Amino acid sequence: MLYYKDWGQGDPVVLMHGWPLTGDTFDDLAIKLVEAGKRCIIPDRRGFGRSDQPWNGYDYDTFADDVAAILEDAGINQPVALVGFSMGGGEVARFTSKQGKNRVSAAVFASSVVPQVVQSDDWPDGVPQSKLDDITKQMTEDRAGFMKTFLQQFYGWGVLSRPVSEAVLDSGFQQAMMAGARPTYAAAAAWASTDFRPDLQAFDGVPTLILHGTSDANVPIEGTGRKTKELIPHATLIEYDGSPHGIFETDKERFCKDVTEFLTRESRGTSADTSASAIPLSN
């Protein structure tokens, strides 16, 4: 089963979380969007959070198909706004290229892995494969220990800088460990190796916002956010000076404001329907 929250009424927005967290990533943003008159669809990706953990399907074609299936289950046929954080940015890209830009009213890439993470001959600003291999080795040897360290870097948390509380780190760890080991490893391989450059050709004419921290150590801005801007020239790029990867927490107020203002020209209160749903998940 694929779990998703369905909050509010109005123009639909799909919020796609990053690795290795859950849809709860977007609770604060979703509240602001619902208050601004939006309907928020907030999935837990297959293998993560409250969704089932099948063995197969941890590739971006399947992830995009899962989003389409959730929209069908929710009865949403009109164009949707897409917000993708980190690996969720890849779902924004692949959904748009597979479903067509007429299915998408707007797109937001936040700390996104798009256009490509891994370094290659024609992508020198990417992360060396050796570093990605080392991450895989650390995960398989001690997944829980790895997540503890990973989340500190994710939020820029250290001796001199603690932009979030220890409770936020604990919450992230709890969410990360809800995922199965197989989904965790397979999804990491997908976001680390997928080339989204062909997908970005579908964004011509799609209103697009890019948000990225300049001190993102997990997904460095040079090879992602700034490159996405080059490949989608009409997009708006907002750089969060000195911010790490997890800007939805470290820069929460600004992040919510930037996304909400982009997706709606004026805030308008509405009575919110809040519910959660699940649909069958194929293996």
Side-chain angles (χ1 to χ4, degrees):
M1 303 290 285
L2 283 169
Y3 173 92
Y4 67 96
K5 302 173 191 176
D6 186 348
W7 288 4
Q9 300 174 354
D11 296 332
V13 182
V14 185
L15 305 169
M16 290 169 278
H17 67 84
W19 181 95
L21 305 178
T22 73
D24 293 350
T25 294
F26 286 118
D27 276 5
D28 292 300
L29 173 60
I31 290 170
K32 296 295 185 183
L33 289 172
V34 170
E35 291 173 347
K38 302 295 183 180
R39 178 183 178 185
C40 291
I41 304 296
I42 318 162
D44 284 354
R45 184 177 295 105
R46 68 166 54 212
F48 293 79
R50 290 142 291 199
S51 289
D52 282 352
Q53 301 178 7
W55 181 259
N56 294 318
Y58 301 99
D59 61 272
Y60 273 94
D61 280 341
T62 304
F63 293 149
D65 290 344
D66 285 347
V67 174
I70 287 170
L71 291 174
E72 182 179 0
D73 184 73
I76 297 174
N77 300 311
Q78 71 264 46
V80 297
L82 304 173
V83 179
F85 172 77
S86 195
M87 81 166 287
E91 283 162 311
V92 173
R94 187 58 51 87
F95 180 92
T96 302
S97 65
K98 287 196 74 175
Q99 296 291 319
K101 64 182 180 181
N102 291 335
R103 190 76 170 90
V104 180
S105 60
V108 178
F109 294 101
S111 304
S112 171
V113 298
V114 171
Q116 181 175 318
V117 170
V118 66
Q119 189 180 80
S120 62
D121 290 342
D122 65 343
W123 202 251
D125 291 321
V127 178
Q129 183 62 53
S130 59
K131 183 174 181 179
L132 296 171
D133 291 341
D134 185 54
I135 290 173
T136 300
K137 182 175 183 292
Q138 293 176 44
M139 277 196 296
T140 54
E141 289 179 349
D142 181 1
R143 182 162 64 104
F146 168 83
M147 289 301 174
K148 288 280 191 180
T149 301
F150 173 81
L151 287 165
Q152 289 181 355
Q153 184 182 67
F154 188 101
Y155 290 119
W157 203 90
V159 175
L160 299 179
S161 176
R162 298 191 175 186
V164 299
S165 67
E166 289 188 47
V168 168
L169 295 178
D170 291 342
S171 175
F173 179 75
Q174 290 166 3
Q175 291 181 56
M177 298 310 292
M178 289 172 71
R182 161 68 180 174
T184 299
Y185 306 152
W191 61 251
S193 63
T194 302
D195 182 355
F196 298 103
R197 285 175 288 179
D199 298 289
L200 297 186
Q201 297 175 22
F203 282 78
D204 183 31
V206 177
T208 304
L209 175 66
I210 305 163
L211 306 174
H212 216 113
T214 62
S215 295
D216 188 335
N218 297 98
V219 182
I221 189 174
E222 291 81 5
T224 52
R226 290 173 181 164
K227 292 295 184 182
T228 301
K229 167 62 177 174
E230 292 179 13
L231 294 173
I232 310 177
H234 69 271
T236 298
L237 169 62
I238 300 178
E239 298 188 2
Y240 286 26
D241 188 38
S243 295
H245 190 58
I247 55 175
F248 64 90
E249 279 287 355
T250 61
D251 299 76
K252 183 185 299 184
E253 183 176 353
R254 180 183 182 186
F255 176 75
C256 291
K257 180 176 182 289
D258 285 341
V259 176
T260 302
E261 287 186 351
F262 175 70
L263 294 181
T264 184
R265 292 185 178 180
E266 60 180 14
S267 297
R268 56 191 186 279
T270 184
S271 58
D273 292 338
T274 62
S275 60
S277 303
I279 63 172
L281 176 61
S282 62
N283 290 320

